[in-house]
Amino acid sequence: MKIGVIGAGNVGGTLGRLWAARGHQVLFGSRDPGQERMQELARGAGAQAGTVAEAASFGEVVVLATPWHGTQEAIAAAGSGLNGKVLIDATNPLLPNLAGLAVGTTTSAAEEVAGWAPRARVVKAFNTIGAGYFANPTFDGQAASLFICGDETAAKEVVAGLGAALGFDVVDAGPLKNARLTEQLAMLWIDMTYLRQAGPIAFRLLRRPH
Ligand SMILES: NC(=O)c1ccc[n+]([C@@H]2O[C@H](COP(=O)([O-])OP(=O)(O)OC[C@H]3O[C@@H](n4cnc5c(N)ncnc54)[C@H](OP(=O)(O)O)[C@@H]3O)[C@@H](O)[C@H]2O)c1
């Protein structure tokens, strides 16, 4: 599969590297694709580096992993390349100093993203656990849950496959609107990890037969 990455930092860089290692074609998008960091990332992953617009055009699936304050600008830079694409929104709408979320009960980062990229097939995912655990999301023998939210089943299935390939326990957490809930879960993970030093931690949905 061809995967474009917008925001090739902790989250985007890690996901792109892991999926490239599993045989996917990856193009890391950057505002400055010529910078040494991007060239090294692409070389090390056996991937390509390009502009944000090139990443959007390249990917059948595009990962959006920008800081919240730069997300609208990044989507504008991606332009029409996002049309029709599965857009994995991994952002969290964090306030400065991790003080909380900039949006919450009446909308979510994911719904804002869908408004800024109205022809993309937005799926919320990879936002409720630190990027440092993407390579091995197993905690005490149990896979961490990957909560995915979206309004289109086929798009969610693509993201579920990419998450399962990394070893996550994939959970369909409902429509895109439910990103309001998973973004709060992300805030709990951040609070527990950084303010309460409770890590390493992850969430898992427990189930038992009816
Ligand atoms: N860190 C985590 O463990 C984690 C886990 C889950 C979710 N998240 C969420 O995922 C998002 C990314 O977090 P991160 O830690 O990966 O951030 P990061 O390491 O700072 O990387 C973000 C990347 O976005 C790019 N960027 C910044 N402003 C941009 C803009 N205006 N247009 C285009 N690209 C821009 C930058 O790349 P260039 O300078 O090369 O353009 C930067 O490398 C955030 O919303 C965060 O809340 C983070």
Side-chain angles (χ1 to χ4, degrees):
M1 190 176 291
K2 293 170 93 171
I3 300 174
V5 176
I6 298 174
N10 295 313
V11 170
T14 304
L15 288 175
R17 225 178 11 245
L18 293 171
W19 286 328
R22 283 159 179 76
H24 295 289
Q25 288 174 262
V26 174
L27 193 153
F28 292 110
S30 169
R31 292 167 298 177
D32 179 11
Q35 63 180 301
E36 188 50 32
R37 186 184 76 79
M38 290 303 300
Q39 293 299 316
E40 267 177 32
L41 176 64
R43 230 183 354 257
Q48 302 173 63
T51 63
V52 169
E54 284 167 346
S57 299
F58 176 85
E60 301 161 72
V61 172
V62 180
V63 178
L64 179 66
T66 44
W68 180 239
H69 60 80
T71 298
Q72 186 172 7
E73 183 186 78
I75 289 172
S80 60
L82 290 177
N83 292 352
K85 306 297 177 62
V86 174
L87 181 61
I88 301 177
D89 170 32
T91 67
N92 282 311
L94 299 179
L95 291 168
N97 303 320
L98 308 179
L101 298 178
V103 295
T105 56
T106 55
T107 185
S108 59
E111 291 162 276
E112 296 300 297
V113 163
W116 297 328
R119 297 179 65 190
R121 305 154 69 195
V122 180
V123 177
K124 187 86 202 183
F126 298 102
N127 68 309
T128 60
I129 181 172
Y133 300 114
F134 290 170
N136 177 15
T138 303
F139 292 72
D140 200 20
Q142 301 212 82
S145 291
L146 180 74
F147 299 94
I148 63 175
C149 307
D151 294 333
E152 198 202 310
T153 303
K156 282 203 280 195
E157 281 170 359
V158 171
V159 180
L162 288 168
L166 301 186
F168 280 99
D169 162 56
V170 179
V171 174
D172 184 341
L176 197 66
K177 185 180 170 196
N178 279 6
R180 297 176 195 183
L181 309 178
T182 65
E183 290 168 14
Q184 297 286 353
L185 201 56
M187 197 63 233
L188 178 62
W189 187 93
I190 290 165
D191 185 281
M192 295 292 291
T193 298
Y194 296 114
L195 302 182
R196 265 147 263 296
Q197 274 88 43
I201 56 166
F203 299 114
R204 180 176 170 97
L205 193 73
L206 299 178
R207 314 157 172 92
R208 63 180 175 191
H210 289 290

